[in-house]
């Protein structure tokens, strides 16, 4: 399990998380696509990398 916090502003996304055993990761996406489908796929990949 991981705990974290993220945020969005127009076309940017940040996300970070840490686990009980001390692992941590931070991701910054600096140019989100403009349509919903690619954004959802990108954020799913970010979550998978962070929590995988």
């Amino acid at each position: 399990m991981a705990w974290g916090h993220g945020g969005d502003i127009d076309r940017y996304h940040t996300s970070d998380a840490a686990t009980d055993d001390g692992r941590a990761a931070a991701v910054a996406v600096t140019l989100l696509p403009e349509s919903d489908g690619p954004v959802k796929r990108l954020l799913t990949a970010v979550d998978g990398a962070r929590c995988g």
Side-chain angles (χ1 to χ4, degrees), residues 2 7-8 25 33 37 44:
D8 297 306
T44 297

Side-chain angles (χ1 to χ4, degrees), residues 16-35:
D16 59 65
T19 63
D20 286 336
D21 65 1
R23 292 178 297 136
V27 177
V29 180
T30 59
L31 183 58
L32 285 173
E34 292 187 19
S35 60

Side-chain angles (χ1 to χ4, degrees), residues 1-51:
M1 179 178 285
W3 292 267
H5 177 60
D8 297 306
I9 59 173
D10 189 31
R11 304 201 60 203
Y12 293 84
H13 172 79
T14 61
S15 184
D16 59 65
T19 63
D20 286 336
D21 65 1
R23 292 178 297 136
V27 177
V29 180
T30 59
L31 183 58
L32 285 173
E34 292 187 19
S35 60
D36 288 342
V39 170
K40 288 178 184 178
R41 289 191 297 275
L42 175 64
L43 297 181
T44 297
V46 167
D47 285 344
R50 183 183 61 183
C51 299

